[in-house]
Protein backbone atom coordinates (compact mmCIF):
# COMPACT_ATOMS: atom_id res chain seq x y z
CA UNK A 1 0.00 0.00 0.00
CA UNK A 2 1.36 3.42 -1.00
CA UNK A 3 0.87 5.76 1.96
CA UNK A 4 2.41 9.00 0.65
CA UNK A 5 4.40 10.54 -2.17
CA UNK A 6 6.49 13.73 -2.07
CA UNK A 7 7.37 15.66 -5.24
CA UNK A 8 10.13 18.24 -5.59
CA UNK A 9 10.63 20.01 -8.94
CA UNK A 10 8.72 17.19 -10.62
CA UNK A 11 6.97 18.45 -13.78
CA UNK A 12 4.46 21.08 -12.53
CA UNK A 13 5.14 20.50 -8.81
CA UNK A 14 7.74 22.46 -6.88
CA UNK A 15 7.23 21.08 -3.37
CA UNK A 16 4.12 18.99 -2.70
CA UNK A 17 3.13 16.00 -0.56
CA UNK A 18 0.15 13.71 -1.18
CA UNK A 19 -1.15 11.16 1.33
CA UNK A 20 -3.28 8.14 0.45
CA UNK A 21 -5.78 6.06 2.39
CA UNK A 22 -6.46 2.30 2.12
CA UNK A 23 -9.00 1.46 -0.57
CA UNK A 24 -9.92 3.66 -3.52
CA UNK A 25 -8.30 7.10 -3.79
CA UNK A 26 -9.74 9.66 -6.22
CA UNK A 27 -7.65 12.58 -7.45
CA UNK A 28 -9.83 15.55 -8.42
CA UNK A 29 -8.82 18.84 -10.03
CA UNK A 30 -9.36 21.10 -13.06
CA UNK A 31 -7.63 20.57 -16.40
CA UNK A 32 -3.85 21.08 -16.41
CA UNK A 33 -3.67 21.07 -12.60
CA UNK A 34 -1.21 18.14 -12.43
CA UNK A 35 -3.42 15.09 -11.83
CA UNK A 36 -1.62 13.03 -14.47
CA UNK A 37 1.74 14.14 -13.09
CA UNK A 38 0.86 12.47 -9.76
CA UNK A 39 -0.03 9.26 -11.60
CA UNK A 40 3.26 9.37 -13.50
CA UNK A 41 5.25 9.88 -10.30
CA UNK A 42 3.60 6.79 -8.78
CA UNK A 43 4.49 4.70 -11.83
CA UNK A 44 8.06 6.02 -11.83
CA UNK A 45 8.57 5.19 -8.15
CA UNK A 46 6.85 1.80 -8.60
CA UNK A 47 9.00 0.38 -11.40
CA UNK A 48 11.64 3.01 -12.25
CA UNK A 49 10.31 4.36 -15.53
CA UNK A 50 7.72 6.91 -16.62
CA UNK A 51 5.43 6.70 -19.61
CA UNK A 52 5.25 10.16 -21.18
CA UNK A 53 8.66 10.74 -22.70
CA UNK A 54 12.26 11.22 -21.68
CA UNK A 55 13.55 11.67 -18.15
CA UNK A 56 14.62 15.25 -18.86
CA UNK A 57 10.94 16.19 -19.25
CA UNK A 58 10.29 15.10 -15.66
CA UNK A 59 12.33 18.01 -14.30
CA UNK A 60 10.38 21.20 -13.62
CA UNK A 61 11.08 24.05 -16.02
CA UNK A 62 14.07 26.20 -14.95
CA UNK A 63 15.21 23.53 -12.44
CA UNK A 64 18.33 21.37 -12.50
CA UNK A 65 16.95 18.38 -10.60
CA UNK A 66 13.80 16.49 -9.68
CA UNK A 67 13.06 14.26 -6.68
CA UNK A 68 10.33 11.76 -5.82
CA UNK A 69 10.01 10.14 -2.40
CA UNK A 70 7.40 7.43 -1.97
CA UNK A 71 6.51 5.68 1.29
CA UNK A 72 4.83 2.30 1.19
CA UNK A 73 3.87 -0.16 3.90
CA UNK A 74 7.24 -1.93 4.09
CA UNK A 75 9.85 0.49 2.70
CA UNK A 76 10.55 3.95 1.36
CA UNK A 77 12.22 4.91 -1.90
CA UNK A 78 13.69 8.02 -3.46
CA UNK A 79 14.25 8.66 -7.16
CA UNK A 80 16.44 11.61 -8.14
CA UNK A 81 16.82 12.94 -11.67
CA UNK A 82 19.56 15.50 -12.22
CA UNK A 83 21.01 17.42 -15.15
CA UNK A 84 24.78 16.93 -15.50
CA UNK A 85 26.16 18.92 -18.44
CA UNK A 86 24.36 17.46 -21.46
CA UNK A 87 23.34 14.24 -19.71
CA UNK A 88 20.61 13.18 -17.31
CA UNK A 89 21.54 11.11 -14.26
CA UNK A 90 18.90 9.05 -12.46
CA UNK A 91 19.60 7.54 -9.04
CA UNK A 92 17.38 5.25 -6.98
CA UNK A 93 17.51 4.74 -3.20
CA UNK A 94 15.49 2.06 -1.43
CA UNK A 95 15.69 2.11 2.36
CA UNK A 96 18.72 4.44 2.00
CA UNK A 97 20.57 1.94 -0.21
CA UNK A 98 21.52 3.11 -3.70
CA UNK A 99 20.46 0.94 -6.64
CA UNK A 100 21.05 1.18 -10.38
CA UNK A 101 17.44 0.05 -10.91
CA UNK A 102 14.54 -1.11 -8.76
CA UNK A 103 15.20 -4.79 -7.84
CA UNK A 104 12.75 -7.45 -8.95
CA UNK A 105 11.39 -8.00 -5.44
CA UNK A 106 10.82 -4.28 -4.90
CA UNK A 107 8.84 -3.54 -8.06
CA UNK A 108 5.28 -2.45 -7.27
CA UNK A 109 3.02 -3.94 -9.92
CA UNK A 110 1.16 -0.80 -10.94
CA UNK A 111 -1.09 -0.85 -14.01
CA UNK A 112 -2.07 2.29 -15.92
CA UNK A 113 -5.24 2.53 -17.98
CA UNK A 114 -6.03 5.87 -19.63
CA UNK A 115 -8.36 7.02 -22.45
CA UNK A 116 -5.59 6.69 -25.07
CA UNK A 117 -5.56 2.94 -24.43
CA UNK A 118 -8.93 2.72 -26.19
CA UNK A 119 -7.01 3.36 -29.42
CA UNK A 120 -5.61 -0.18 -29.08
CA UNK A 121 -8.86 -1.54 -30.48
CA UNK A 122 -8.77 0.34 -33.78
CA UNK A 123 -5.29 1.89 -33.93
CA UNK A 124 -2.05 0.45 -35.26
CA UNK A 125 -0.53 -2.80 -33.96
CA UNK A 126 2.39 -0.97 -32.33
CA UNK A 127 0.10 0.14 -29.48
CA UNK A 128 -0.99 -3.44 -28.82
CA UNK A 129 2.63 -4.63 -28.85
CA UNK A 130 3.68 -1.84 -26.48
CA UNK A 131 0.85 -2.70 -24.09
CA UNK A 132 1.91 -6.36 -23.97
CA UNK A 133 5.58 -5.45 -23.64
CA UNK A 134 4.90 -3.05 -20.76
CA UNK A 135 2.73 -5.56 -18.93
CA UNK A 136 5.19 -8.44 -19.39
CA UNK A 137 8.13 -6.25 -18.34
CA UNK A 138 6.39 -5.62 -15.00
CA UNK A 139 5.37 -9.19 -14.20
CA UNK A 140 8.44 -10.90 -15.72
CA UNK A 141 11.69 -8.86 -15.45
CA UNK A 142 13.63 -11.31 -17.65
CA UNK A 143 11.24 -10.40 -20.46
CA UNK A 144 12.32 -6.76 -20.16
CA UNK A 145 15.96 -7.90 -20.41
CA UNK A 146 15.29 -10.03 -23.52
CA UNK A 147 13.37 -7.15 -25.11
CA UNK A 148 16.26 -4.72 -24.53
CA UNK A 149 18.72 -7.22 -26.02
CA UNK A 150 16.44 -7.75 -29.01
CA UNK A 151 16.20 -4.01 -29.70
CA UNK A 152 20.00 -3.69 -29.56
CA UNK A 153 20.48 -6.60 -31.95
CA UNK A 154 17.79 -5.16 -34.24
CA UNK A 155 19.62 -1.81 -34.34
CA UNK A 156 22.88 -3.58 -35.25
CA UNK A 157 21.25 -5.52 -38.09
CA UNK A 158 19.50 -2.40 -39.41
CA UNK A 159 22.84 -0.55 -39.42
CA UNK A 160 24.39 -3.34 -41.51
CA UNK A 161 21.51 -3.14 -43.98
CA UNK A 162 22.46 0.48 -44.73
CA UNK A 163 25.97 -0.44 -45.92
CA UNK A 164 26.62 -0.59 -49.66
CA UNK A 165 28.76 -3.73 -49.38
CA UNK A 166 27.00 -5.94 -46.87
CA UNK A 167 28.99 -8.80 -45.35
CA UNK A 168 26.61 -11.74 -45.31
CA UNK A 169 28.54 -13.61 -42.61
CA UNK A 170 28.15 -10.65 -40.21
CA UNK A 171 24.48 -10.38 -41.09
CA UNK A 172 23.95 -14.10 -40.39
CA UNK A 173 25.31 -13.68 -36.85
CA UNK A 174 22.68 -11.03 -36.14
CA UNK A 175 20.02 -13.17 -37.83
CA UNK A 176 20.77 -15.94 -35.33
CA UNK A 177 20.77 -13.55 -32.38
CA UNK A 178 17.52 -11.88 -33.43
CA UNK A 179 15.68 -15.13 -34.08
CA UNK A 180 16.76 -16.66 -30.74
CA UNK A 181 15.60 -13.59 -28.81
CA UNK A 182 12.48 -13.28 -30.96
CA UNK A 183 11.51 -16.84 -30.05
CA UNK A 184 11.77 -16.06 -26.33
CA UNK A 185 9.76 -12.85 -26.68
CA UNK A 186 6.93 -14.41 -28.69
CA UNK A 187 6.73 -17.43 -26.37
CA UNK A 188 6.13 -15.08 -23.43
CA UNK A 189 3.61 -13.03 -25.39
CA UNK A 190 1.65 -16.15 -26.35
CA UNK A 191 1.71 -17.41 -22.75
CA UNK A 192 0.32 -14.04 -21.61
CA UNK A 193 -2.49 -14.17 -24.17
CA UNK A 194 -3.33 -17.74 -23.17
CA UNK A 195 -3.59 -16.58 -19.55
CA UNK A 196 -5.77 -13.60 -20.54
CA UNK A 197 -8.12 -15.84 -22.51
CA UNK A 198 -8.74 -17.99 -19.43
CA UNK A 199 -10.27 -15.04 -17.56
CA UNK A 200 -11.34 -12.58 -20.26
CA UNK A 201 -14.68 -14.18 -21.34
CA UNK A 202 -16.14 -14.19 -17.81
CA UNK A 203 -14.96 -10.62 -17.15
CA UNK A 204 -16.42 -9.39 -20.44
CA UNK A 205 -19.79 -11.10 -19.88
CA UNK A 206 -19.94 -9.58 -16.39
CA UNK A 207 -19.28 -6.09 -17.73
CA UNK A 208 -21.51 -6.29 -20.81
CA UNK A 209 -24.43 -8.18 -19.28
CA UNK A 210 -24.53 -10.46 -22.32
CA UNK A 211 -23.56 -14.03 -23.13
CA UNK A 212 -21.16 -12.90 -25.84
CA UNK A 213 -17.75 -14.52 -26.00
CA UNK A 214 -14.45 -12.70 -26.53
CA UNK A 215 -10.87 -13.79 -26.99
CA UNK A 216 -7.48 -12.38 -27.95
CA UNK A 217 -5.37 -13.81 -30.77
CA UNK A 218 -1.69 -13.28 -31.48
CA UNK A 219 -1.29 -12.98 -35.25
CA UNK A 220 2.16 -13.36 -36.76
CA UNK A 221 3.67 -14.09 -40.17
CA UNK A 222 6.06 -16.48 -38.40
CA UNK A 223 4.62 -19.64 -36.86
CA UNK A 224 4.32 -19.06 -33.12
CA UNK A 225 4.86 -22.74 -32.23
CA UNK A 226 8.31 -22.75 -33.86
CA UNK A 227 8.99 -19.04 -34.00
CA UNK A 228 12.81 -18.88 -33.77
CA UNK A 229 13.52 -21.22 -36.71
CA UNK A 230 10.71 -19.76 -38.80
CA UNK A 231 11.94 -16.23 -38.18
CA UNK A 232 15.52 -17.20 -39.11
CA UNK A 233 14.28 -18.67 -42.40
CA UNK A 234 12.26 -15.53 -43.17
CA UNK A 235 15.16 -13.20 -42.28
CA UNK A 236 17.22 -14.96 -44.95
CA UNK A 237 14.46 -15.17 -47.58
CA UNK A 238 13.50 -11.49 -47.07
CA UNK A 239 17.07 -10.22 -47.38
CA UNK A 240 16.57 -8.40 -50.70
CA UNK A 241 13.46 -6.64 -49.35
CA UNK A 242 15.28 -5.69 -46.13
CA UNK A 243 18.23 -4.27 -48.08
CA UNK A 244 15.90 -2.24 -50.28
CA UNK A 245 13.98 -0.86 -47.31
CA UNK A 246 17.08 -0.51 -45.05
CA UNK A 247 15.35 -2.15 -42.09
CA UNK A 248 14.33 -5.58 -40.81
CA UNK A 249 10.83 -6.50 -41.99
CA UNK A 250 10.15 -9.63 -39.92
CA UNK A 251 10.20 -10.29 -36.19
CA UNK A 252 8.25 -9.52 -33.00
CA UNK A 253 8.80 -5.77 -33.56
CA UNK A 254 6.51 -6.09 -36.60
Amino acid sequence: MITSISLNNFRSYQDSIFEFEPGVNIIVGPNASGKTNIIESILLASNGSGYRGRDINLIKHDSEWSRIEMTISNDSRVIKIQKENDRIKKTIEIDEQKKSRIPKGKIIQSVLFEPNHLLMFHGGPDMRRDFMDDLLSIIKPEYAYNLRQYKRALAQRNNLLRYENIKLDELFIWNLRLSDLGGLIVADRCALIQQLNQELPDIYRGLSGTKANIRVEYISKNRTENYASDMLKNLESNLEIDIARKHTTTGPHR
Side-chain angles (χ1 to χ4, degrees):
M1 177 63 202
I2 301 170
T3 56
S4 68
I5 193 159
S6 172
L7 306 178
N8 299 104
N9 295 331
F10 182 82
R11 287 201 182 268
S12 60
Y13 293 101
Q14 183 173 351
D15 186 8
S16 300
I17 298 176
F18 302 92
E19 296 183 345
F20 305 103
E21 297 292 334
V24 176
N25 289 259
I26 301 175
I27 301 169
V28 180
N31 290 341
S33 61
K35 300 185 298 297
T36 307
N37 294 342
I38 300 174
I39 300 298
E40 184 169 28
S41 70
I42 292 172
L43 287 172
L44 187 65
S46 296
N47 57 48
S49 60
Y51 75 103
R52 290 192 297 162
R54 300 182 301 164
D55 287 343
I56 191 172
N57 297 327
L58 303 176
I59 301 175
K60 193 176 187 296
H61 183 62
D62 292 334
S63 299
E64 296 296 317
W65 56 274
S66 178
R67 183 180 186 273
I68 302 170
E69 181 174 1
M70 187 166 77
T71 304
I72 60 178
S73 52
N74 56 353
D75 71 37
S76 62
R77 57 190 62 190
V78 175
I79 295 182
K80 299 176 183 177
I81 302 169
Q82 190 166 1
K83 295 179 183 178
E84 289 189 353
N85 298 324
D86 295 330
R87 301 182 62 186
I88 293 295
K89 180 181 180 182
K90 181 161 65 178
T91 59
I92 298 171
E93 294 181 12
I94 298 180
D95 290 334
E96 300 182 352
Q97 294 184 354
K98 290 188 177 182
K99 308 285 185 181
S100 59
R101 59 173 57 93
I102 297 178
K104 178 179 179 181
K106 294 291 185 178
I107 291 176
I108 300 173
Q109 296 183 356
S110 303
V111 177
L112 170 74
F113 179 79
E114 61 173 353
N116 284 341
H117 282 134
L118 295 173
L119 295 175
M120 283 193 295
F121 294 104
H122 53 79
D126 54 326
M127 290 191 69
R128 294 185 279 278
R129 286 195 298 266
D130 289 345
F131 185 81
M132 279 196 300
D133 289 343
D134 290 343
L135 181 56
L136 279 164
S137 295
I138 293 172
I139 63 179
K140 191 174 184 180
E142 55 266 36
Y143 180 88
Y145 174 80
N146 289 335
L147 187 62
R148 287 196 301 271
Q149 296 300 310
Y150 179 86
K151 289 180 178 178
R152 289 172 183 169
L154 179 64
Q156 293 288 346
R157 187 179 192 271
N158 286 344
N159 284 336
L160 285 176
L161 291 172
R162 298 185 182 101
Y163 291 167
E164 290 187 7
N165 298 315
I166 298 176
K167 297 181 179 179
L168 295 181
D169 54 341
E170 289 185 18
L171 202 62
F172 182 70
I173 293 173
W174 292 113
N175 289 352
L176 287 173
R177 178 68 171 156
L178 272 181
S179 57
D180 287 343
L181 290 167
L184 296 174
I185 289 169
V186 170
D188 284 338
R189 287 179 178 176
C190 290
L192 172 66
I193 285 178
Q194 185 177 6
Q195 184 179 353
L196 289 175
N197 281 330
Q198 291 175 357
E199 304 181 29
L200 191 60
D202 288 339
I203 293 173
Y204 181 77
R205 284 192 287 266
L207 289 172
S208 65
T210 68
K211 295 183 179 180
N213 201 3
I214 186 173
R215 61 179 283 106
V216 181
E217 290 187 36
Y218 188 84
I219 300 174
S220 169
K221 291 183 178 179
N222 301 315
R223 292 176 300 158
T224 55
E225 65 274 10
N226 200 13
Y227 193 91
S229 61
D230 215 38
M231 178 179 170
L232 179 60
K233 181 175 67 176
N234 286 331
L235 284 171
E236 294 175 350
S237 62
N238 291 350
L239 181 57
E240 289 187 9
I241 297 174
D242 289 358
I243 291 174
R245 296 183 180 179
K246 307 297 183 186
H247 66 263
T248 303
T249 57
T250 186
H253 64 288
R254 300 291 294 176

